Amino acid sequence: MPLITILPSAVADQIAAGEVVERPSSVVKELVENSLDAGASVIEVTLDDGGRKLVRVSDDGSGMSAEDLPLALARHGTSKITKAADLVGVGTFGFRGEALPAIASVSHFQIDTAPANGEGTSIRVLGGKISLPERVTRRRGTTVSVANLFFNIPARLKFLRSARSEWRGAVESITALAITKPAVRINVVHDGRNALTLPPVSSVRSRLGALWGGRYAEDLLDVEDVAGPIHVSGLVQRPADVGTSTRRAFLSINGRAVRDAGIARAVETAYRSTIIAGLRPSFFLNVTIPVDAVDVNVHPAKAEVRFRDRWTLERAVETAVRRSLGNFDAGASFGFRGAGFSPAVFQPSPNPGPEILQPVSYRSSPLFEGAGDPYSSAVSRSSTATEELQPPLTVPPLFQLRRTYIAFEHEDGIVLIDQHSAHERVLYEEFMNTLESGSAPAQRLLLPLTLHLGPAEGEAFDANRDYLERLGFEVEGFGGHTLIVNTVPMPHPRFDAERCLRETLDALTGDRVAGTAAKHERLASTVACKAAIKAGEELSQGEMRALFAALRDTRLPAHDVHGRSTIVHLTWDEVERRFGRR
Ligand SMILES: Nc1ncnc2c1ncn2[C@@H]1O[C@H](COP(=O)(O)OP(=O)(O)OP(=O)(O)O)[C@@H](O)[C@H]1O
Ligand SMILES: [Mg+2]
């Protein structure tokens, strides 16, 4: 007698169920995906006891004929592909023909379906045993009920978590699909109560609003970028908001919701220098790539995909997110943002009396150059050839408040700039540039500075000497922990070089940053922080203007280097609301 037998299909289905159906949320996912694949515009999901007692999904999709229904319940029964080649670029969520038989093999299962209003068919399956089809009258669409999941697999049943936690899982599955298909109405009832009502909407932003509130959705930044055949679109969190609410990460590839740690890391990389290291931003992104650049058939629950060129894809995502963070209105807002703070505040404003100022290139000329009014020097530079490429900048009247903030009026509201944070951003980008290519302008001191360092500071100096020299600290005669400093950077006239160098070395003490890029970032942000003008320093009109112009030229003007905003907006909307004018 042979030792090998072919397993009966009911057993094979149960084994398949082990991979496809892990818990109630997997049932929810498979059934809702089927409804979406069937072109439903309304989907009703009913759960009892977190889905442990019942998961029912009803749709108004294509339905199935009496002839098709038994095939749908057979292993490998699918209408979505007919040959292996169809897997490339498959546009439906399903493609294996496995979900229904697998689910039916481990539950009390019933499916009612009709391809048109009126005549329909119903089949029950009890732990894999299929009943004869019955005729029923119903409207077009399909209803699948899955009761008592894992009733015949005690080992699995034991692993189910509390109703609450299964419910959370189910909501997560529904949410991910709801975000990928905002135009579909989805209603969820849990234990007889309406738990989630998602009306059909035309944008992902509106769907997020229905899920987590209008304010949450309003505050997200748009992402929209094309790199060759890769198109990245969606929404991400403002750096100033990162860490203030639950972190939510949603990614779809060609409309298929998936998890991908690499892309999540690429998004995080894009936030570098705008948020505190370690915080994780929320994102809702869809990436469209050529269908033959991705393999969807690599994960039992279809939750992951494989990419032909992961590196290029991750860089495209990083660049797209980085660009959206670079918009000037990516800073924080206080109060309700209203219909959207759309025009960047550096765009010309209709206020009376603005003067036209050519942008100052802070790279070629340090901010606050000389002790006089840098505004005049900015104007005199305005005719140089290199700067004519840039659009002229309209500078509205600027006011210094509490010797800390620069305020101005704009078409959409009032804008406040934190002078220290803003200058820090300007210097950070300048120093990064310097560290990556060349050296900064420095001023030679008439009387060299002499600094006596402790052993730890001395070590920090040794480790960073090259970088510090490139930033303009030219030092000689280092020995016995004494530094002679001949030149220093000159970021502004009140710059205290000795204090900056001491504080920088202090901050770098015991630092174990590895890698050149990370070292550059660390040093640039530390020196920028120490060298920037401080809160409490009075600025002249010219200085404010120069800072304004230099900030405008940075890549990420709205964020300092510690995860704070450099800019906040108070919209007229909010002002009017507070004064009861709306
Ligand atoms: N809600 C529905 N409306 C209409 N047809 C459906 C519905 N659910 C399932 N079907 C039909 O039954 C078939 C089998 O469904 P099943 O979920 O088992 O496999 P699949 O979706 O093709 O692939 P996968 O196993 O990857 O989900 C589908 O291909 C589809 O033709
Ligand atoms: Mg399916």
Side-chain angles (χ1 to χ4, degrees):
M1 203 172 102
L3 294 175
I4 297 176
T5 56
I6 302 295
L7 293 173
S9 64
V11 180
D13 285 342
Q14 278 193 11
I15 292 170
E19 295 200 314
V20 176
V21 192
E22 205 188 334
R23 44 192 356 109
S25 66
S26 350
V27 174
V28 171
K29 171 179 183 287
E30 294 293 343
L31 297 184
V32 174
E33 284 186 353
N34 278 347
S35 297
L36 293 170
D37 282 347
S41 57
V42 180
I43 300 175
E44 311 267 348
V45 183
T46 307
L47 297 175
D48 282 348
D49 199 28
R52 304 190 311 175
K53 279 209 186 101
L54 176 73
V55 176
R56 185 193 303 129
V57 175
S58 235
D59 67 55
D60 65 348
S62 64
M64 280 174 272
S65 66
E67 189 187 12
D68 270 337
L69 183 55
L71 293 171
L73 298 174
R75 191 121 197 256
H76 310 307
T78 181
S79 58
K80 297 169 192 174
I81 61 169
T82 56
K83 52 185 188 305
D86 295 346
L87 267 179
V88 178
V90 63
T92 48
F93 290 110
F95 49 78
R96 306 158 306 181
E98 256 181 358
L100 291 185
I103 294 167
S105 72
V106 293
S107 66
H108 293 144
F109 181 97
Q110 178 172 346
I111 181 163
D112 290 18
T113 186
N117 290 343
E119 280 284 274
T121 318
S122 170
I123 290 185
R124 283 163 208 271
V125 189
L126 209 159
K129 277 206 276 320
I130 304 183
S131 74
L132 286 176
E134 281 171 35
R135 298 213 160 258
V136 290
T137 307
R138 58 159 290 143
R139 58 184 172 74
R140 177 181 185 263
T142 304
T143 302
V144 179
S145 304
V146 177
N148 308 321
L149 185 67
F150 299 140
F151 80 99
N152 53 351
I153 311 194
R156 273 293 168 106
L157 197 56
K158 269 212 304 254
F159 277 100
L160 288 190
R161 299 195 209 113
S162 68
R164 252 180 86 110
S165 135
E166 296 298 350
W167 159 247
R168 265 203 303 274
V171 168
E172 243 168 66
S173 295
I174 296 167
T175 307
L177 290 165
I179 292 171
T180 56
K181 300 271 187 185
V184 176
R185 174 187 292 282
I186 301 179
N187 297 329
V188 187
V189 174
H190 186 213
D191 290 336
R193 277 192 297 273
N194 284 332
L196 192 61
T197 308
L198 301 174
V201 287
S202 57
S203 70
V204 172
R205 195 188 284 273
S206 310
R207 178 111 302 172
L208 299 181
L211 282 162
W212 297 301
R215 175 73 204 269
Y216 180 82
E218 268 303 326
D219 278 351
L220 300 170
L221 298 170
D222 279 310
V223 177
E224 185 67 53
D225 203 26
V226 177
I230 304 172
H231 178 191
V232 185
S233 64
L235 298 149
V236 295
Q237 214 171 11
R238 264 162 216 279
D241 293 340
V242 175
T244 59
S245 56
T246 316
R247 191 238 182 182
R248 304 183 170 113
F250 287 86
L251 171 70
S252 55
I253 304 291
N254 295 340
R256 179 183 299 277
V258 293
R259 292 186 305 246
D260 193 280
I263 293 183
R265 264 196 308 277
V267 173
E268 281 153 27
T269 310
Y271 278 78
R272 264 209 345 231
S273 93
T274 72
I275 58 176
I276 295 166
L279 284 184
R280 310 186 71 202
S282 293
F283 60 87
F284 310 89
L285 294 177
N286 179 51
V287 182
T288 311
I289 51 175
V291 291
D292 59 354
V294 54
D295 184 357
V296 295
N297 186 27
V298 295
H299 188 271
K302 296 174 286 187
E304 289 170 17
V305 292
R306 190 162 44 209
F307 302 109
R308 211 175 50 196
D309 181 358
R310 165 173 288 285
W311 193 86
T312 305
L313 181 65
E314 288 178 0
R315 294 297 69 75
V317 170
E318 183 186 331
T319 308
V321 173
R322 191 80 174 171
R323 288 212 169 118
S324 83
L325 302 183
N327 291 333
F328 195 69
D329 62 346
S333 81
F334 43 116
F336 178 59
R337 187 172 281 103
F341 197 94
S342 47
V345 293
F346 279 140
Q347 296 304 307
S349 139
N351 296 332
E355 291 167 67
I356 303 291
L357 170 69
Q358 292 292 333
V360 180
S361 168
Y362 62 86
R363 290 191 182 98
S364 57
S365 54
L367 185 61
F368 306 142
E369 185 184 335
D373 185 336
Y375 174 47
S376 53
S377 62
V379 171
S380 65
R381 267 200 308 279
S382 69
S383 56
T384 59
T386 49
E387 282 154 7
E388 263 158 20
L389 295 171
Q390 289 201 291
L393 171 65
T394 307
V395 183
L398 302 172
F399 305 91
Q400 194 183 24
L401 308 178
R402 296 192 99 196
R403 295 187 175 175
T404 302
Y405 308 105
I406 299 169
F408 63 94
E409 177 190 336
H410 181 262
E411 192 181 343
D412 286 330
I414 299 165
V415 180
L416 291 181
I417 297 178
D418 181 300
Q419 66 189 41
H420 172 70
S421 300
H423 197 200
E424 207 173 60
R425 165 55 62 185
V426 169
L427 291 178
Y428 170 77
E429 293 199 7
E430 184 182 335
F431 292 156
M432 279 303 280
N433 250 15
T434 304
L435 288 171
E436 276 156 18
S437 58
S439 59
Q443 77 187 356
R444 186 156 290 278
L445 298 170
L446 282 177
L447 295 171
L449 279 173
T450 307
L451 260 72
H452 302 285
L453 303 181
E457 289 170 313
E459 215 174 279
F461 174 76
D462 265 347
N464 291 288
R465 177 175 195 146
D466 283 357
Y467 302 121
L468 288 167
E469 285 196 344
R470 261 186 277 168
L471 293 181
F473 288 104
E474 194 193 297
V475 177
E476 68 164 292
F478 179 66
H481 300 153
T482 301
L483 297 190
I484 309 220
V485 185
N486 288 322
T487 72
V488 297
M490 39 182 202
H492 58 94
R494 276 157 298 193
F495 177 59
D496 182 342
E498 177 174 350
R499 184 168 157 199
C500 171
L501 187 55
R502 276 197 181 283
E503 288 180 353
T504 300
L505 291 176
D506 192 43
L508 295 173
T509 296
D511 213 28
R512 292 277 170 271
V513 179
T516 314
K519 274 206 159 140
H520 284 176
E521 274 175 25
R522 177 82 173 103
L523 201 81
S525 61
T526 310
V527 181
C529 176
K530 306 303 172 199
I533 45 160
K534 309 254 179 294
E537 292 191 41
E538 193 168 330
L539 301 182
S540 70
Q541 266 294 319
E543 287 173 328
M544 288 193 281
R545 284 163 179 278
L547 179 56
F548 181 92
L551 183 66
R552 179 253 205 181
D553 280 355
T554 60
R555 285 192 303 160
L556 294 169
H559 317 284
D560 80 351
V561 295
H562 308 288
R564 290 182 302 244
S565 290
T566 55
I567 299 161
V568 290
H569 312 139
L570 175 58
T571 61
W572 294 132
D573 255 11
E574 171 69 4
V575 173
E576 283 165 13
R577 224 165 50 83
R578 299 262 164 139
F579 284 115
R581 287 178 178 274
R582 314 189 150 214

